[in-house]
């Protein structure tokens, strides 16, 4: 038996940098460094753990849809221990929305072949948290999303989803789409050996024609949503800051009373 | 006027506040038609009618509780087919976003998630989003299909407006995928008696500076004096001092209360992503350089174990 896992990873602007928008109201990628979305490291980690806990042959492929530099995200995942990578890159992808991204991912996942898809809970830029559900809908397989615990055995995936009002145990047959939260367990750091090995691992490059997708179906033109304006939030007016010299609690109470909170 | 579908978030018939906010926003773009599913669905009707629902479509079936997400997508699609609405609005919970996304794909529509405001525009509703940890405000529209928009809690003040609220049974046939993901067991979260974090008007949060699970009683005492919910930073949650369900931030809850009080929290970008849209922000931190002070309306540089108990006492005295 063998198990083919595809991990979807997004290349995003560093959240600690000055993120902003370009003139066409898409993400400004020139003025800020990019990296593997930190929440996708958890997805790679869980795929590696599923592999380590499995008696089957497991092959882990990491997949990204993004510009040239998105290779960095793939390298990071490969150096953590994934086996191979697929980079879907095409100029016509610029400005694709979530619906379009899910189309490209679903076609690429089908072409790659899969038993299990593992995704992050959300990207750290768009942060919608909907791509895994969209991919499951497109592939017509179960979604087992937002898991803080995940396991695969006997052709089934099981996991725990901690929701607002309850914690649920879930179960689905493979093939399936899973997403994992940052509660699923710390992601490992790439070892030196891992980093060296990653340099030799294969990275396939696919474009839209490889996936039978027309340019009009994706990109800014094909997007089903349109950003009309993006404005930097005005800096908050500087607040009052006091040093506690025994009266800090009282002074704060005074402020809260003035604002009618007490 | 055009009809607008509103997906109802309820617990055994008790409608949660974000849905009432949605009804208020929905009235700006049309006549709200509510969709309530699962156990107690029909019991939601009175509250929905008081807040402007002209119609309440209900359906009860075991599938909604026994399987993940897809049965609700099937039902919302049935409501969509029955009503042909001008827009579909869903509360921005984790599940709500997934339901909305799958519906959008099925009906050939774009989706906007986590809107914080909504207004009628010439070409359909215009949604405001607060992005990049609330450092930018964007306005977006849907350019294809019927707008599907999820809206964050605390995005609008609830305004009652009586409407007919006529209850109608919705006809749902489940898709093949509906039973794909089975919920094999469910453990309900124990209620603390405090307000729900995402709905609370006041949130009092503690971070690494609280330094221990037992010390969170200091934070809880302040919260109780103010009738507030308790939040925590990821550092406090990861240390096991407070449950993850109370985490505020990018991977926790995003809150937007009237008042947010952060104690022993430095203000990392991921924490700010979940609280920066709070109306009034207060911080207590012994480090005058902590980034959280860049956000505050009022800050106290000091030891939280001095300042918080003193504040709690003062609140109690003033409230008598
Ligand atoms: C600030 C901002 C707001 C946006 N708002 C919207 C919106 O309201 N509606 C909309 O349709 N689009 C929106 N977009 C565009 C959206 O970010 C992209 O379409 C993106 O490719 C998918 O959405 P997401 O980033 O929210 O991913 P999420 O749904 O949050 O991502 C979940 C998981 O899906 C996988 N994944 C997502 N994207 C990729 C990728 N390119 N390659 C590989 N795996 C991936 C990852 O495993 C990730 O952890 C927004 C973008 C930005 C920057
Ligand atoms: C992908 C990702 C997602 C994340 N998601 C979240 C999230 O959702 N929410 C979140 O909060 N974080 C999140 N984080 C973590 C975030 O980056 C920070 O590590 C975290 O917010 C720090 O928590 P803190 O402010 O409590 O701790 P610290 O940064 O350690 O700050 C503690 C503060 O307490 C002060 N202090 C100490 N003792 C006292 C005292 N006695 N009195 C007063 N002040 C005192 C210190 O001066 C310090 O400023 C995420 C990180 C990543 C990478």
């Amino acid at each position: 038996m063998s198990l083919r896992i595809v991990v979807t990873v997004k290349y995003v602007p560093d959240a600690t940098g000055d993120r902003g928008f370009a003139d066409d109201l898409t993400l400004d990628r020139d003025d800020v460094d990019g990296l593997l979305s930190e929440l996708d490291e958890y997805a790679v980690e869980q795929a590696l753990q599923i592999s380590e806990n499995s008696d089957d042959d497991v092959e882990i492929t990491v997949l990204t849809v993004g510009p040239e530099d998105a290779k960095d995200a793939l390298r990071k995942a490969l150096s953590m221990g994934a086996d191979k990578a697929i980079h879907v890159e095409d100029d016509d992808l610029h400005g694709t929305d979530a619906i379009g991204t899910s189309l490209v991912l679903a076609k690429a996942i089908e072409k790659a072949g899969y038993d299990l898809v593992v995704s992050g809970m959300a990207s750290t830029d768009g942060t919608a948290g909907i791509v895994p559900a969209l991919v499951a809908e497109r592939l017509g397989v179960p979604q087992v999303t937002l898991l803080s615990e995940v396991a695969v055995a006997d052709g089934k995936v099981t996991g725990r989803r901690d929701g607002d009002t309850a914690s649920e145990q879930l179960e689905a047959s493979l093939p399936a789409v899973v997403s994992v939260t940052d509660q699923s367990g710390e992601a490992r750091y790439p070892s030196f050996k891992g980093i060296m090995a990653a340099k030799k691992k294969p990275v396939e490059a696919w474009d839209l024609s490889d996936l039978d997708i027309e340019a009009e179906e994706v990109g800014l033109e094909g997007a089903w949503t349109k950003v009309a304006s993006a404005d930097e939030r005005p800096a908050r007016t500087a607040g009052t800051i006091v040093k506690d010299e025994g009266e800090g609690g009282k002074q704060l109470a005074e402020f809260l009373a003035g604002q009618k909170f007490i | 006027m055009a009809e607008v579908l509103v997906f109802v978030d309820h617990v055994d018939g008790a409608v949660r506040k974000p849905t009432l906010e949605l009804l208020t926003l929905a009235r700006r773009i049309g006549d709200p038609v509510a969709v309530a599913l699962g156990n107690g669905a029909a019991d939601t009707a009175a509250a929905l009618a008081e807040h402007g629902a002209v119609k309440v479509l209900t359906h009860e079936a075991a599938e909604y509780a026994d399987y993940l997400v897809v049965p609700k997508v099937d039902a919302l699609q049935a409501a969509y087919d029955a009503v042909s609405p001008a827009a579909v609005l869903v509360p921005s919970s984790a599940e709500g976003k997934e339901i909305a996304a799958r519906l959008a794909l099925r009906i050939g529509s774009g989706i906007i998630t986590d809107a914080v405001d909504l207004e009628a525009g010439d070409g359909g509703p215009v949604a405001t989003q607060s992005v990049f940890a609330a450092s930018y405000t964007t306005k977006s529209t849907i350019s294809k299909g019927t707008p599907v928009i999820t809206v964050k809690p605390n995005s609008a003040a609830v305004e009652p407006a009586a409407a007919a609220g006529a209850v109608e049974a919705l006809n749902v046939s489940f898709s093949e995928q509906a039973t794909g993901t089975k919920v094999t067991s469910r453990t309900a979260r124990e209620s603390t008696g405090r307000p729900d974090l995402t709905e609370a008007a006041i949130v009092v949060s503690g971070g690494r500076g609280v330094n221990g699970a037992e010390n969170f009683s200091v934070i809880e005492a302040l919260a109780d004096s103010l009738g507030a919910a308790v939040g925590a930073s990821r550092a406090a949650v990861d240390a096991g001092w407070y449950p993850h369900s109370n985490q505020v931030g990018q991977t926790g809850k995003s809150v937007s209360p009237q008042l947010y009080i952060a104690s022993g929290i430095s203000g990392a970008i991921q924490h700010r992503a979940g609280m920066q849209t709070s109306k009034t922000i207060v911080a207590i931190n012994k480090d005058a350089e902590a980034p959280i002070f860049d956000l505050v309306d009022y800050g106290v540089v000091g030891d939280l174990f001095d300042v918080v108990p003193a504040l709690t006492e003062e609140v109690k005295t003033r409230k008598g």
Side-chain angles (χ1 to χ4, degrees):
Chain A
M1 283 282 287
S2 75
L3 183 71
R4 296 161 303 167
I5 304 179
V6 178
V7 186
T8 60
V9 298
K10 190 179 183 189
Y11 179 71
V12 298
D14 186 347
T16 58
D18 272 329
R19 294 180 295 180
F21 290 86
D23 291 343
D24 63 355
L25 296 178
T26 64
L27 194 65
D28 177 0
R29 293 189 182 266
D30 290 337
D31 292 336
V32 57
D33 290 336
L35 42 75
L36 168 63
S37 176
E38 278 162 309
L39 293 170
D40 289 340
E41 291 182 17
Y42 295 87
V44 176
E45 176 62 35
Q46 288 308 311
L48 292 169
Q49 288 194 21
I50 288 167
S51 167
E52 286 157 7
N53 295 333
S54 175
D55 300 329
D56 300 337
D57 278 342
V58 180
E59 184 186 56
I60 301 174
T61 304
V62 287
L63 164 66
T64 196
V65 177
E68 154 125 53
D69 293 345
K71 282 195 181 61
D72 293 352
L74 294 175
R75 282 289 166 219
K76 171 95 189 260
L78 289 172
S79 61
M80 286 173 72
D83 300 302
K84 62 191 186 80
I86 298 169
H87 184 188
V88 183
E89 187 191 355
D90 198 309
D91 288 345
D92 290 325
L93 282 167
H94 175 79
T96 306
D97 65 0
I99 296 272
T101 300
S102 71
L103 171 70
V104 182
L105 286 174
K107 292 255 192 176
I109 289 162
E110 269 172 339
K111 185 175 159 85
Y114 72 104
D115 302 296
L116 182 68
V117 178
V118 185
S119 300
M121 63 184 285
S123 68
T124 56
D125 60 346
T127 70
I130 59 176
V131 166
L134 288 169
V135 168
E137 174 77 30
R138 288 198 186 265
L139 295 174
V141 303
Q143 69 163 86
V144 197
T145 46
L146 299 166
L147 301 181
S148 42
E149 240 173 51
V150 59
V152 173
D154 306 323
K156 284 200 163 82
V157 49
T158 52
R160 192 180 84 235
R161 179 189 251 225
D162 293 317
D164 273 355
T165 54
S167 176
E168 295 165 334
Q169 289 291 336
L170 305 173
E171 180 187 286
S173 297
L174 298 180
V177 174
V178 158
S179 76
V180 300
T181 73
D182 59 337
Q183 297 289 301
S184 59
E186 273 309 303
R188 68 194 64 188
Y189 286 104
S191 63
F192 178 70
K193 217 174 114 206
I195 294 169
M196 294 316 287
K199 294 190 171 149
K200 299 202 196 74
K201 290 178 180 172
V203 178
E204 275 192 66
W206 292 348
D207 63 13
L208 289 176
S209 66
D210 290 314
L211 300 174
D212 291 323
I213 297 172
E214 301 295 328
E216 306 83 73
E217 294 177 81
V218 293
L220 206 49
E221 292 305 307
W224 297 6
T225 53
K226 184 171 167 34
V227 182
S229 67
D231 298 302
E232 200 161 358
R233 195 181 157 93
R236 292 183 84 99
T237 42
T240 310
I241 295 180
V242 300
K243 194 163 181 324
D244 176 40
E245 273 152 354
E247 295 291 302
K250 267 215 166 85
Q251 286 166 292
L252 182 46
E254 196 60 42
F255 169 78
L256 294 179
Q259 304 283 316
K260 308 236 178 326
F261 290 117
I262 316 178
Chain B
M1 213 158 51
E3 292 180 309
V4 176
L5 270 193
V6 173
F7 186 83
V8 177
D9 183 9
H10 70 99
V11 181
D12 296 331
V15 179
R16 301 179 74 191
K17 187 163 148 258
T19 301
L20 304 180
E21 296 169 15
L22 268 195
L23 289 169
T24 303
L25 290 174
R27 296 204 305 270
R28 295 185 189 165
I29 50 179
D31 288 328
V33 174
V35 182
L37 306 173
N39 191 28
D43 300 339
T44 61
L48 299 171
E50 276 168 35
H51 293 87
V54 296
K55 220 188 296 178
V56 181
L57 304 176
T58 65
H59 189 243
E60 295 199 22
E63 278 83 351
Y64 298 119
D66 293 349
Y67 299 94
L68 197 72
V69 175
V70 185
K72 291 176 182 164
V73 182
D74 290 342
L76 193 56
Q77 188 180 13
Y80 173 85
D81 291 339
V83 172
S84 301
V88 182
L89 305 183
V90 181
S92 257
S93 61
E95 188 189 42
K97 290 199 281 191
E98 293 187 330
I99 295 169
R102 295 186 71 139
L103 175 80
L105 181 57
R106 286 187 187 183
I107 65 176
S109 295
I111 174 163
I112 294 171
T113 57
D114 295 323
V116 295
D117 199 7
L118 205 59
E119 61 212 330
D122 295 339
V126 180
T128 305
Q129 284 169 299
S130 176
V131 306
F132 295 147
S135 59
Y136 275 82
T137 303
T138 60
K139 287 189 188 288
S140 302
T141 53
I142 303 273
S143 40
K144 186 163 179 271
T146 304
V148 178
I149 300 170
T150 79
V151 181
K152 278 197 180 188
N154 277 334
S155 294
V158 174
E159 292 162 15
V167 179
E168 269 178 39
L170 181 66
N171 228 327
V172 183
S173 52
F174 291 117
S175 65
E176 220 173 285
Q177 273 76 39
T179 54
T181 311
K182 193 168 172 44
V183 180
T184 51
S185 75
R186 177 176 288 119
T187 318
R189 212 171 281 298
E190 261 177 63
S191 165
T192 59
R194 295 196 178 89
D196 183 283
L197 189 54
T198 50
E199 300 178 9
I202 303 180
V203 174
V204 177
S205 287
R208 202 192 308 268
V210 174
N211 199 23
E214 63 291 350
N215 298 339
F216 254 85
S217 58
V218 172
I219 303 295
E220 290 180 332
L222 174 60
D224 292 343
S225 74
L226 290 164
V230 177
S233 74
R234 179 162 137 186
V237 167
D238 282 353
W241 304 338
Y242 225 66
H244 176 248
S245 48
N246 294 70
Q247 182 179 313
V248 171
Q250 186 184 46
T251 55
K253 298 274 157 50
S254 117
V255 301
S256 199
Q258 296 300 317
L259 171 63
Y260 188 81
I261 305 181
S263 301
I265 293 178
S266 62
I269 184 89
Q270 296 90 353
H271 188 77
R272 277 157 40 190
M275 48 67 73
Q276 196 153 334
T277 54
S278 304
K279 307 297 173 295
T280 299
I281 298 174
V282 168
I284 301 148
N285 195 306
K286 64 182 183 188
D287 175 9
E289 304 293 313
I292 190 88
F293 285 127
D294 296 345
L295 299 182
V296 298
D297 297 286
Y298 199 92
V300 181
V301 179
D303 192 317
L304 74 93
F305 294 107
D306 297 328
V307 178
V308 174
L311 172 60
T312 308
E313 276 318 302
E314 195 61 29
V315 173
K316 283 190 190 155
T317 313
R318 284 173 188 253
K319 284 195 167 173

